[in-house]
Amino acid sequence: MQSPARYRLVYFVLVPLAFVVAGVLGSQVSGRIDLTTGQLYTISPPARERLEQLENPVRIRYFLSPRLESYSGEPERIREYLEEFAAISPLVELQVLDASDPEHRETALDLGLLPQQLTDRDRDSQSLVTVFSGVVLGYGDSQTVLPFVLDSEELEYELVSAWDEMITERAFEIAVMSGNQELELRSAYQNALLRLSERFAVRLVEQGDQIPASADMLFVFGNKDLSGTTVAQIGEFLAAGGGVMLSIEGVHVQLDDELTARELPPSDLDLLLEQYGVRVSRELVLDRFHMIVPLAGAGGGPESFVRYPHWITLMSRNAAPGHPVSEAVAGIDLFWPSRIEPLGESPPGLQLTQLYTTSYEGRVMDSPFATNPALGEDVYDRIWREGGDRIGVVMALSGSFPFYADAGSDAGEDVGSDAGAHAGTQRSDEMADDGRLLLVGGGYTFSDFLELGEDPMRNLRFLTAAGHWLAGDEDLLALLGRTSQDLRLNGLSSSNLRAAVVRFAQWVNIVVIPAFVLLFGAMRIIRRRRIKSAAYVDSTEASSPATKRR
Amino acid sequence: MTRLLALTKKELRIHFSSPPVFLAIGFFLSAAALWFFFIYGFLARDTASLRGYFAAVPILMVLVIPALTMKGWAEEYRLGTSELLLTLPLRSWELVLGKYLGTMTVVLVMVLLTVPVAFLLMPLGEFDLGQITAEYIGTVLLSGTAVALGLFVSVWCTNQSTAFTGAAGLLLVLTLIGRLDSVLSLPAPFLAVFRYVSLDTHFDGFVRGVLDVRALWYYVWLTALCLYVTSLVLEARRRA
């Protein structure tokens, strides 16, 4: 038995002291186990590699308003991530600066950080406070700013791409061109251009202009009015080892003519693609996984929503597994897509990958096309009765592209002269560099039409991923892919079935299981009471005088 | 160990003959699912994630755990069985741990009964199983701490309703203290302390799918501290 003094010393002084010490020490230890698929919150190997290969010091300044930190958990996670970053390399100097300090606030504004307004509620009033959460990277004399960061999930991608740009002092350049005269780049592709310019140097090119020699990639939106000269330029560019993304169609839907659709006539582009072993069919692709679109009521009546199988939504499960682009993007929405299919065996030196297909419920519609949603859903009855299949709508080609033999009727002598400068002037098949080509079956895919899609961000993300893949920047593509899980509830094609599953889950979890628990409890308690009362009766009988006499 | 096991079994028998325990489990399951499907709007959000479901766990625990722990010591005092219990050849910490493990087993059964939510929704999309695992680990740790806090309150009380109110009040304060900044303008150091103390703040990481060492440590530490203080109180009563 311990003496009272010793007991008091141990239990009331030493053990509580140990608890306090353990509590304080425990709050200082950092470390975490990331259980998310793709380890979303852990520094990835490409980022780690960059840090380990650093030769000169990098300065990271994180301007953070404490007010924001108490408002959301994200700044704390961003800070932890940056600390983890700094812990890997001794050449990374991290400073977390209090942006509420007038001096730091001034610096933050001078550096181009974006202040945000936050509502600050007090007991009787509410006011707006200005907060910062921006990162400034410094390397030698150069500096890159992430103006406002409040999403720890995309931070790594943002940080590493900014890092690369700063250290290499160069951004990949994309020449962007519209192949549809009705859609002017600056007015019809605002979202796409804005998104691309966040990561790449974007140059707008008109048809007939030469592709700039400095361009690493060429993006062509639409093909309806693509001239033979431009097609020849594209061929030259690819053969020279460039990267090209074409959003193309075999059937064009006229937006200003009640959405009438017509097959595009054979063109030089068809000839070019044939040379690569690919064909764009003159059919429209439909899918059971499609969008629901608003339809204005007749005569100014109320708006209604109709199912529209011409606008299809492709998910990660429709993608080729293992391809960096499909791994980085959870899917894509296509408007009046066309089939893109291989023509027999792929040409030597070229690798063809069917990047996205429809679901197994894909169908095709031949001419005459019924594309107006006002026609109702009955027009698709015959098509749905036919057997469905997976239909290719996005294709990736990589390898050595053969030189374009037939430049077409209007291809001039100086065709692609600047593109030629990209890889030299006199070339032969043997000298062709490895190029990359992405074919997206839908002329409107990246136009501002995408705002009407299921998730506009996915198409924009696809563009960024396409840019990284065409530039050969697999690391950044992998980083982008870390946050690309398709979390939509799209596991079941039928919305009725989906609603039924949810209803079943609701019943089971709200009513059935709780009711089962209560019933089980009631039965158990009743049983115990019966046993108890039986035991009581037995004991009273046993102790009664009559029983005793017996 | 055998004595601990016998104590745990005794506690379990008491729990599973008590109507409030079944009511509490039924309420938790029903309320969490109601919140998730109708108030949070799982289907309308169109996101294959159970974040919304687990986000409701801390606040529901405020009501459910006190209902499970209120009987703990308060009932023993009221019925006078504590006298008998304290004279048994068992150490105070064994008595405390026995009650804790008994209540925790009930909590684990309750948490297990939430698995059908995840299971039935799986066909709807690509749920992140790693994240769900972390969410369950966080739920078990959070409820473990809440049970220890509830028993800690119960050891001071002589009737169940006081024990329930006291535990619910304490859990409510510890859950909401991290969000005090949304109603009060306080200096940043205070807010940092409140955020650290809050049960809810540490739960955030688990809901995202990350097991943070500090959060793990916080729950284990607070649980151990509560159980220790409870056993000290019991020991003091025994000595008195």
Side-chain angles (χ1 to χ4, degrees):
Chain A
M1 186 82 180
Q2 286 174 334
S3 69
R6 195 170 165 188
Y7 170 80
R8 275 196 289 273
L9 177 73
V10 172
Y11 291 97
F12 291 99
V13 180
L14 293 182
V15 177
L17 200 69
F19 266 111
V20 171
V21 172
V24 172
L25 289 180
S27 68
Q28 306 302 313
V29 178
S30 64
R32 55 189 179 180
I33 305 163
D34 189 347
L35 293 183
T36 54
T37 309
Q39 297 210 301
L40 224 56
Y41 304 100
T42 308
I43 291 184
S44 67
R48 195 171 277 275
E49 202 176 296
R50 278 164 172 77
L51 287 164
E52 285 165 355
Q53 287 170 356
L54 264 182
E55 288 173 0
N56 295 310
V58 168
R59 190 174 173 212
I60 303 177
R61 278 179 289 172
Y62 180 32
F63 290 83
L64 174 65
S65 303
R67 197 80 220 136
L68 192 61
E69 202 169 13
S70 60
Y71 178 79
S72 149
E74 282 298 299
E76 191 186 339
R77 289 192 267 283
I78 291 169
R79 190 166 55 181
E80 281 175 6
Y81 182 84
L82 293 174
E83 281 167 359
E84 214 177 313
F85 224 68
I88 293 173
S89 170
L91 290 171
V92 176
E93 183 201 328
L94 173 68
Q95 276 184 299
V96 180
L97 302 165
D98 180 352
S100 62
D101 181 316
E103 192 188 328
H104 293 149
R105 180 193 163 93
E106 201 67 30
T107 317
L109 287 169
D110 288 346
L111 288 167
L113 263 62
L114 263 181
Q116 300 287 316
Q117 300 281 320
L118 191 75
T119 311
D120 194 14
R121 279 186 292 273
D122 211 333
R123 201 171 299 162
D124 329 293
S125 62
Q126 65 176 38
S127 55
L128 284 176
V129 282
T130 305
V131 291
F132 290 86
S133 175
V135 178
V136 180
L137 296 170
Y139 183 76
D141 295 334
S142 51
Q143 198 158 267
T144 305
V145 177
L146 302 177
F148 190 78
V149 190
L150 201 60
D151 180 1
S152 57
E153 290 182 13
E154 285 220 351
L155 177 68
E156 187 171 49
Y157 168 72
E158 302 239 352
L159 207 60
V160 173
S161 42
W163 183 286
D164 280 1
E165 209 175 305
M166 185 180 67
I167 290 174
T168 58
E169 292 179 346
R170 181 177 181 269
F172 287 107
E173 188 176 310
I174 302 181
V176 183
M177 182 189 289
S178 173
N180 181 349
Q181 283 173 358
E182 293 157 19
L183 301 178
E184 204 270 322
L185 277 176
R186 279 191 187 82
S187 56
Y189 292 94
Q190 286 183 32
N191 289 306
L193 294 179
L194 196 68
R195 172 76 180 198
L196 284 174
S197 58
E198 283 173 11
R199 292 281 160 261
F200 307 97
V202 176
R203 279 183 73 167
L204 306 188
V205 182
E206 295 288 330
Q207 277 208 67
D209 289 353
Q210 288 174 348
I211 300 167
S214 56
D216 301 286
M217 294 160 268
L218 172 68
F219 280 23
V220 182
F221 299 140
N223 60 311
K224 184 173 77 77
D225 306 309
L226 219 51
S227 69
T229 312
T230 309
V231 171
Q233 281 182 319
I234 294 169
E236 289 282 319
F237 194 77
L238 278 168
V244 176
M245 200 282 299
L246 298 171
S247 79
I248 49 175
E249 58 195 4
V251 177
H252 180 71
V253 174
Q254 204 69 35
L255 297 180
D256 54 6
D257 187 17
E258 294 188 329
L259 302 182
T260 50
R262 63 176 174 83
E263 289 178 20
L264 289 182
S267 68
D268 290 330
L269 184 66
D270 293 306
L271 294 174
L272 179 77
L273 295 180
E274 266 174 35
Q275 219 167 316
Y276 304 152
V278 186
R279 189 175 82 95
V280 183
S281 77
R282 265 51 180 175
E283 302 153 320
L284 284 173
V285 175
L286 291 75
D287 196 346
R288 285 271 192 199
F289 284 85
H290 52 251
M291 298 176 218
I292 291 169
V293 297
L295 186 66
E303 191 179 65
S304 59
F305 289 86
V306 292
R307 304 182 63 82
Y308 195 47
H310 288 291
W311 287 11
I312 70 173
T313 180
L314 305 178
M315 294 157 293
S316 47
R317 73 188 60 172
N318 303 121
H323 194 281
V325 174
S326 51
E327 293 280 311
V329 191
I332 186 169
D333 293 335
L334 297 176
F335 311 96
W336 304 289
S338 299
R339 183 206 294 255
I340 296 182
E341 55 191 350
L343 291 166
E345 284 199 11
S346 23
L350 260 187
Q351 193 190 341
L352 274 63
T353 310
Q354 193 78 68
L355 208 54
Y356 282 98
T357 66
T358 62
S359 71
Y360 284 103
E361 292 287 341
R363 307 284 198 284
V364 288
M365 181 187 270
D366 301 312
S367 179
F369 304 103
T371 44
N372 195 329
L375 293 172
E377 292 175 34
D378 298 344
V379 295
Y380 308 114
D381 283 351
R382 184 185 56 81
I383 291 174
W384 294 137
R385 276 199 294 273
E386 291 165 10
D389 202 356
R390 296 185 75 155
I391 300 165
V393 279
V394 180
M395 189 175 273
L397 293 88
S398 58
S400 183
F401 285 83
F403 287 104
Y404 183 37
D406 186 355
S409 53
D410 62 341
E413 278 299 304
D414 61 342
V415 159
S417 59
D418 210 358
H422 198 71
T425 43
Q426 293 298 313
R427 288 162 299 196
S428 66
D429 279 1
E430 291 77 40
M431 284 171 64
D433 291 332
D434 277 358
R436 288 179 174 186
L437 171 64
L438 261 178
L439 296 169
V440 180
Y444 292 107
T445 312
F446 303 107
S447 69
D448 289 340
F449 236 91
L450 57 86
E451 286 182 350
L452 299 169
E454 288 251 311
D455 181 359
M457 289 313 291
R458 292 194 314 161
N459 285 26
L460 296 177
R461 204 184 172 97
F462 184 93
L463 270 184
T464 311
H468 288 310
W469 184 66
L470 295 174
D473 202 345
E474 314 281 353
D475 278 357
L476 277 180
L477 198 50
L479 287 182
L480 187 67
R482 296 186 87 202
T483 57
S484 75
Q485 273 176 290
D486 185 1
L487 289 177
R488 291 182 307 159
L489 299 176
N490 49 22
L492 300 169
S493 62
S494 152
S495 57
N496 289 340
L497 187 60
R498 187 170 53 178
V501 168
V502 173
R503 262 200 305 277
F504 181 66
Q506 285 170 350
W507 267 99
V508 168
N509 292 291
I510 298 171
V511 180
V512 178
I513 297 177
F516 169 77
V517 169
L518 295 179
L519 200 70
F520 175 77
M523 280 166 60
R524 206 179 141 78
I525 288 158
I526 290 168
R527 208 175 117 237
R528 282 187 70 86
R529 285 200 179 150
R530 274 191 190 151
I531 292 169
K532 257 187 185 174
S533 57
Y536 177 74
V537 169
D538 285 350
S539 64
T540 46
E541 276 180 5
S543 59
S544 70
T547 319
K548 273 183 184 168
R549 272 201 299 276
R550 270 206 302 270
Chain B
M1 194 65 193
T2 323
R3 289 185 299 191
L4 195 64
L5 208 67
L7 266 172
T8 308
K9 275 184 183 168
K10 172 199 157 255
E11 283 306 315
L12 265 179
R13 264 198 306 275
I14 293 173
H15 277 305
F16 284 122
S17 341
S18 163
V21 168
F22 291 103
L23 283 173
I25 297 176
F27 166 76
F28 174 79
L29 297 171
S30 201
L34 265 171
W35 150 265
F36 182 57
F37 288 112
F38 294 106
I39 301 168
Y40 175 78
F42 166 73
L43 192 60
R45 283 175 190 253
D46 194 23
T47 305
S49 164
L50 295 183
R51 266 191 186 200
Y53 187 83
F54 286 96
V57 166
I59 206 75
L60 286 174
M61 290 294 183
V62 167
L63 290 173
V64 173
I65 299 294
L68 302 180
T69 57
M70 63 183 184
K71 267 192 143 184
W73 295 106
E75 187 74 350
E76 303 271 9
Y77 295 144
R78 196 181 66 83
L79 295 173
T81 48
S82 61
E83 311 272 325
L84 179 70
L85 210 58
L86 293 175
T87 52
L88 289 175
L90 291 164
R91 293 194 181 117
S92 299
W93 66 263
E94 283 177 321
L95 291 171
V96 172
L97 210 57
K99 278 212 184 288
Y100 178 75
L101 292 177
T103 314
M104 266 316 282
T105 311
V106 177
V107 171
L108 288 178
V109 169
M110 182 174 81
V111 172
L112 210 65
L113 287 171
T114 64
V115 171
V117 176
F119 185 74
L120 290 173
L121 296 178
M122 281 294 163
L124 294 179
E126 290 174 20
F127 286 82
D128 189 332
L129 289 179
Q131 189 185 26
I132 293 174
T133 308
E135 285 164 341
Y136 272 107
I137 293 172
T139 303
V140 171
L141 284 167
L142 171 76
S143 42
T145 306
V147 167
L149 281 162
L151 289 174
F152 164 71
V153 172
S154 178
V155 83
W156 298 95
C157 304
T158 47
N159 71 65
Q160 285 188 47
S161 51
T162 319
F164 177 85
T165 317
L170 181 65
L171 286 175
L172 188 68
V173 169
L174 283 177
T175 302
L176 298 182
I177 200 167
R179 304 192 187 278
L180 212 58
D181 56 290
S182 56
V183 283
L184 279 179
S185 184
L186 290 167
F190 281 104
L191 289 174
V193 171
F194 290 158
R195 279 181 71 80
Y196 181 73
V197 171
S198 169
L199 288 170
D200 191 28
T201 314
H202 294 277
F203 190 63
D204 281 353
F206 293 100
V207 174
R208 286 188 303 130
V210 177
L211 308 188
D212 193 310
V213 172
R214 271 174 295 184
L216 281 166
W217 181 249
Y218 167 82
Y219 286 129
V220 172
W221 176 80
L222 193 55
T223 305
L225 182 68
C226 288
L227 295 179
Y228 175 71
V229 178
T230 309
S231 70
L232 271 190
V233 174
L234 217 58
E235 186 63 27
R237 295 210 165 171
R238 181 179 257 175
R239 284 176 180 249

